[in-house]
Amino acid sequence: MADDGVNTKVEAVSKATTETIELRTEDGGVFDVDKPVAMEFLILKSFYEDEGRVFDKTSIRLPNVKQLELSKVIEYCTRALEFGAKSAAAAGDKDAERMVRQEREGFEAEFVDELSNEMLKELILAVNFLDIKEMLDFLIRSVANRIRNRSVAYVRQFFDIENDFTPQEEDQIHQENAWAFEGVDAD
Amino acid sequence: MEELPPPLIVEILGRLADSAELARCRLVSKNLNALSYEVASVHLICTLSRYLKSRAPETKHLVTPFKAVFSTLVRNSRTLESVSIGVDKSLGSISYDDVEDEFDDLYLTDVSFVREWLPEIGGGLKSLSLSDFWVQSCWRKSEVLSLISSCCHTLLELKVKNAWLSVDGLDPMPTLTSLTLEFIRLDDEDLNKVNNCFPSLETLNLIGVGGLKKPKIHLLHLKTCHWTVSNAPLSLAILAPNLVNLTLKCIKPQSLVLETPSLSDFHLSLEEANEFEVKDLHHLKTLQIQSVNLYSLICMFTWGRTVKKLTLDSFELKMTGFSLDTLFDVFPNLSHLNLGAGGWTEALSSFGSGGLEGRIGMNGLKEIVAYLITVYDIELTLRFIFSILDKCTNLSAMVLMIYHQVGFLTACNLIRRCRAACPGVRWKWGVWKEGTADVWVSDGI
């Protein structure tokens, strides 16, 4: 596979023998997704497997997901499957395992660097809806990394939360948690 | 812009590094304040600055006692799955002589302290970590293991560091799969209690555990083991039929017995052992050895045939006689070889006195990484390298790490000539120095 990464655009690379599912987003996007990637979306997996539906070519509409998010999700999940396969192939060989891990970390760092705070939150909501455990875990970790050691004001802005404390209430909370502010230098 | 649903916010809050960060988030909003108590873990570290402030006369009244902070955190959390309390690593360097206190404010394996909070949360706890303050714990024997075993019936992972532990009253903990003891004085000479009370362990880390006499690790389900032991024990034994990964660092035990038939990845650091009994290792793929007596050690190995990746670390070697011939005899199926400076020097001098001549080649060998300490005789070095390449016809990559004191020009010259003579091989080189990370100078083409 070419190492310029998976196409971030619509069509996942479809080989003649790979089945695809057509997914439609709420803002009119249409995606042909390889079955293995689509089955990472537990919401789809249960739709097909648990409900015993036949895998056919009907198009599925995803009401809570937009084009931009879905294309990012497909990109991540496709690479995640690749890394999974590489990892399995390297099993038992510590050096090879480490290389796969580093490659994956490099990809994830780049992937998340390109996301604005807004996009990160939208992605979390989409991935939560689609029920993709691994990707959700990755996004949650990324958000935690973004808000660590940041000011209260930054965290408010990130989550788009209003300060609903009165000044006295704020003082009280500060008091209760004074230990957390006690001479903790930015270690 | 929708706010994230509460369970996701709790997940995010739970990924913050420690409880101090989490507590600071409480000021963000009423919702975040409430949700912060849903996080299922408490992770509290006493930093060096906190320690110093609690001792300095002008600031000590401003500092909330560490144990009180922790107890409050635990009490206010709704459910807890993971608890970790400790002192920062930097406090480990505080010398016992510098401190004149008999305080116990940071004595964390103190049973009376742990009894204040553990029983209430023990039922649901999956992971527990106590990293004590050596200055206050090393002279106080703690029965905290007994308390933990009676309160925590679903514990999966336990870590205790920097303490003196008794095994009196320790009850079996059949759910525990991972145990780490670091810098511990353990009153369990032969590890009997450990073996009997933690029968389901899959991971065991004993790093700097003292108080052992004839320790024997005997665990049916053990898969990964890291054991670093001083020269005090008389004998060492590991009986673990499912052990796959083993890192063992010891000095000169009188006897060393390994019954680990499933071992695949073995990292051994050993000076010498009078009786070294290793039952055949038919699945060994990766082997790393650190020893001054490399030659006599590897001659004892009868199970080198399956090894694909071999790393021989040595700065210097005691005995001569080491040559690549011996190496290839013991390990005929290598695909990767990493040869430390001592090994290279010995092998080079062995070659100088006539080696590798009639030897059948090592066709499986694909890559060699070699650490060179001098290039005093560049012609000999080159002849040696070329003769290796002759014998190892499938060698596609050679990495030469050159000691930092060798002149840069000499090193460049060496590489240039290697590249010129064998352009089909991928050459990579760099500079090494003890105690620092290797520095790459060039990547292969």
Side-chain angles (χ1 to χ4, degrees):
Chain A
M1 209 156 286
D3 245 350
D4 55 358
V6 172
N7 309 316
T8 55
K9 267 310 169 172
V10 171
E11 279 92 354
V13 177
S14 242
K15 295 153 204 137
T17 49
T18 313
E19 290 176 277
T20 62
I21 300 180
E22 188 180 274
L23 300 176
R24 287 185 298 128
T25 63
E26 76 175 354
D27 54 351
V30 179
F31 294 75
D32 261 322
V33 182
D34 280 349
K35 187 178 176 195
V37 174
M39 290 296 111
E40 292 289 297
F41 309 359
L42 289 187
I43 195 181
L44 289 184
K45 188 167 192 248
S46 59
F47 179 73
Y48 278 107
E49 293 184 2
D50 302 351
E51 314 255 321
R53 282 202 174 75
V54 172
F55 188 78
D56 60 20
K57 280 293 187 173
T58 44
S59 181
I60 299 189
R61 204 170 152 266
L62 300 172
N64 295 336
V65 184
K66 299 205 191 66
Q67 274 190 74
L68 193 51
E69 279 94 51
L70 188 57
S71 80
K72 279 285 174 194
V73 169
I74 293 170
E75 179 189 344
Y76 182 88
C77 290
T78 311
R79 293 302 299 273
L81 282 178
E82 281 170 26
F83 285 121
K86 279 191 191 173
S87 218
D93 180 349
K94 271 210 278 223
D95 286 333
E97 282 175 353
R98 195 189 333 128
M99 276 189 61
V100 176
R101 212 168 31 237
Q102 283 174 346
E103 210 193 325
R104 179 169 194 154
E105 283 165 14
F107 158 70
E108 289 185 339
E110 246 187 79
F111 183 88
V112 82
D113 262 352
E114 292 173 358
L115 301 174
S116 65
N117 288 345
E118 187 71 25
M119 188 61 195
L120 190 47
K121 275 175 287 179
E122 292 286 350
L123 264 185
I124 288 187
L125 289 168
V127 171
N128 191 39
F129 169 74
L130 293 170
D131 199 359
I132 311 173
K133 299 226 176 322
E134 210 183 357
M135 190 171 180
L136 187 61
D137 187 86
F138 161 64
L139 293 172
I140 284 174
R141 266 185 287 130
S142 306
V143 171
N145 285 337
R146 284 213 185 166
I147 63 172
R148 329 188 29 181
N149 284 328
R150 294 290 196 151
S151 66
V152 169
Y154 183 91
V155 178
R156 278 189 191 128
Q157 188 213 22
F158 184 95
F159 284 107
D160 201 14
I161 298 177
E162 292 264 326
N163 177 10
D164 53 353
F165 287 123
T166 66
Q168 296 95 311
E169 284 169 337
E170 204 168 324
D171 265 343
Q172 194 201 345
I173 303 282
H174 198 284
Q175 268 271 49
E176 283 168 12
N177 296 287
W179 64 269
F181 297 91
E182 271 158 17
V184 176
D185 314 331
D187 287 348
Chain B
M1 172 41 223
E2 266 176 76
E3 255 188 55
L4 294 175
L8 287 183
I9 297 185
V10 173
E11 284 276 334
I12 292 170
L13 293 176
R15 306 299 172 103
L16 292 175
D18 63 15
S19 300
E21 267 187 44
L22 180 61
R24 292 194 286 271
C25 276
R26 293 193 176 132
L27 280 174
V28 171
S29 72
K30 288 186 179 164
N31 189 30
L32 242 63
N33 183 30
L35 289 177
S36 73
Y37 295 103
E38 303 283 317
V39 171
S41 66
V42 166
H43 178 53
L44 194 65
I45 300 256
C46 180
T47 58
L48 183 61
S49 69
R50 181 185 198 86
Y51 170 76
L52 294 173
K53 289 197 161 84
S54 71
R55 293 295 190 272
E58 61 273 11
T59 46
K60 64 178 176 196
H61 60 286
L62 297 170
V63 177
T64 320
F66 188 68
K67 287 183 179 177
V69 171
F70 180 79
S71 301
T72 313
L73 275 175
V74 169
R75 206 182 321 122
N76 292 336
S77 300
R78 212 166 60 80
T79 54
L80 283 177
E81 281 185 0
S82 160
V83 162
S84 160
I85 178 174
V87 303
D88 186 74
K89 282 201 187 105
S90 51
L91 274 86
S93 56
I94 293 175
S95 157
Y96 191 61
D97 304 319
D98 291 341
V99 179
E100 272 199 41
D101 70 48
E102 297 211 341
F103 292 142
D104 61 357
D105 61 322
L106 288 175
Y107 173 36
L108 303 175
T109 48
D110 180 3
V111 168
S112 44
F113 165 59
V114 178
R115 200 178 282 130
E116 282 172 24
W117 50 269
L118 188 61
E120 244 187 88
I121 59 166
L125 208 58
K126 299 224 175 74
S127 161
L128 175 61
S129 167
L130 305 169
S131 195
D132 215 335
F133 183 34
W134 183 242
V135 162
Q136 291 183 3
S137 64
C138 68
W139 52 281
R140 291 163 157 135
K141 181 152 77 165
S142 165
E143 319 238 312
V144 76
L145 284 182
S146 167
L147 179 63
I148 293 172
S149 67
S150 65
C151 294
C152 303
H153 299 126
T154 54
L155 201 65
L156 298 176
E157 187 185 18
L158 176 61
K159 285 188 194 170
V160 186
K161 299 186 187 179
N162 312 323
W164 177 6
L165 298 177
S166 155
V167 288
D168 285 346
L170 176 60
D171 285 331
M173 296 187 71
T175 57
L176 201 73
T177 52
S178 169
L179 176 66
T180 299
L181 300 177
E182 254 186 65
F183 303 120
I184 298 282
R185 181 173 153 189
L186 188 67
D187 284 359
D188 186 13
E189 280 182 352
D190 301 337
L191 292 179
N192 279 327
K193 271 281 189 163
V194 168
N195 289 320
N196 290 331
C197 294
F198 306 122
S200 314
L201 283 185
E202 290 174 14
T203 301
L204 176 60
N205 299 315
L206 299 175
I207 313 222
V209 175
L212 304 178
K213 215 164 166 190
K214 294 189 181 173
K216 178 160 86 169
I217 293 175
H218 189 174
L219 291 165
L220 280 182
H221 301 278
L222 200 64
K223 295 215 186 80
T224 302
C225 180
H226 185 150
W227 197 3
T228 308
V229 60
S230 73
N231 209 25
L234 298 171
S235 66
L236 303 174
I238 304 179
L239 283 73
N242 288 301
L243 192 65
V244 172
N245 296 306
L246 173 61
T247 300
L248 176 60
K249 295 194 179 151
C250 49
I251 306 172
K252 255 197 242 195
Q254 279 174 25
S255 103
L256 173 57
V257 174
L258 296 179
E259 270 183 42
T260 52
S262 308
L263 201 60
S264 165
D265 197 318
F266 187 14
H267 181 162
L268 174 65
S269 177
L270 170 70
E271 220 177 282
E272 67 184 274
N274 282 337
E275 294 158 38
F276 184 18
E277 221 183 278
V278 180
K279 292 248 166 83
D280 278 347
L281 302 176
H282 295 295
H283 300 277
L284 194 65
K285 290 229 185 61
T286 307
L287 176 62
Q288 183 170 350
I289 315 183
Q290 232 158 329
S291 175
V292 161
N293 289 307
L294 256 188
Y295 180 65
S296 51
L297 202 57
I298 66 174
C299 284
M300 282 197 272
F301 294 173
T302 52
W303 27 267
R305 305 200 60 80
T306 50
V307 178
K308 291 248 163 270
K309 275 189 147 174
L310 178 65
T311 302
L312 298 176
D313 284 338
S314 58
F315 189 67
E316 54 175 279
L317 284 184
K318 250 190 204 168
M319 276 180 67
T320 49
F322 180 84
S323 71
L324 282 189
D325 285 325
T326 328
L327 200 63
F328 293 159
D329 272 336
V330 179
F331 303 105
N333 296 311
L334 292 181
S335 66
H336 287 79
L337 173 63
N338 185 316
L339 194 56
W344 175 269
T345 309
E346 287 301 319
L348 179 66
S349 101
S350 204
F351 170 78
S353 22
L356 282 190
E357 287 306 331
R359 238 221 149 251
I360 304 168
M362 290 276 290
N363 293 322
L365 200 54
K366 293 206 205 92
E367 181 183 82
I368 295 183
V369 176
Y371 285 76
L372 281 66
I373 195 161
T374 76
V375 188
Y376 74 93
D377 185 343
I378 193 171
E379 298 304 325
L380 178 64
T381 304
L382 283 168
R383 271 196 293 129
F384 183 41
I385 293 175
F386 297 151
S387 88
I388 295 174
L389 287 168
D390 262 343
K391 301 292 170 196
C392 306
T393 47
N394 286 315
L395 198 67
S396 58
M398 188 127 181
V399 179
L400 300 174
M401 296 304 294
I402 302 178
Y403 197 49
H404 68 111
Q405 281 176 3
V406 171
F408 191 73
L409 286 179
T410 315
C412 282
N413 190 25
L414 176 69
I415 300 299
R416 187 182 52 79
R417 290 179 64 179
C418 286
R419 283 209 175 112
C422 308
V425 173
R426 218 171 58 235
W427 295 96
K428 212 169 151 171
W429 74 283
V431 174
W432 70 276
K433 183 180 173 180
E434 313 92 296
T436 61
D438 295 342
V439 177
W440 294 110
V441 174
S442 82
D443 269 6
I445 296 166

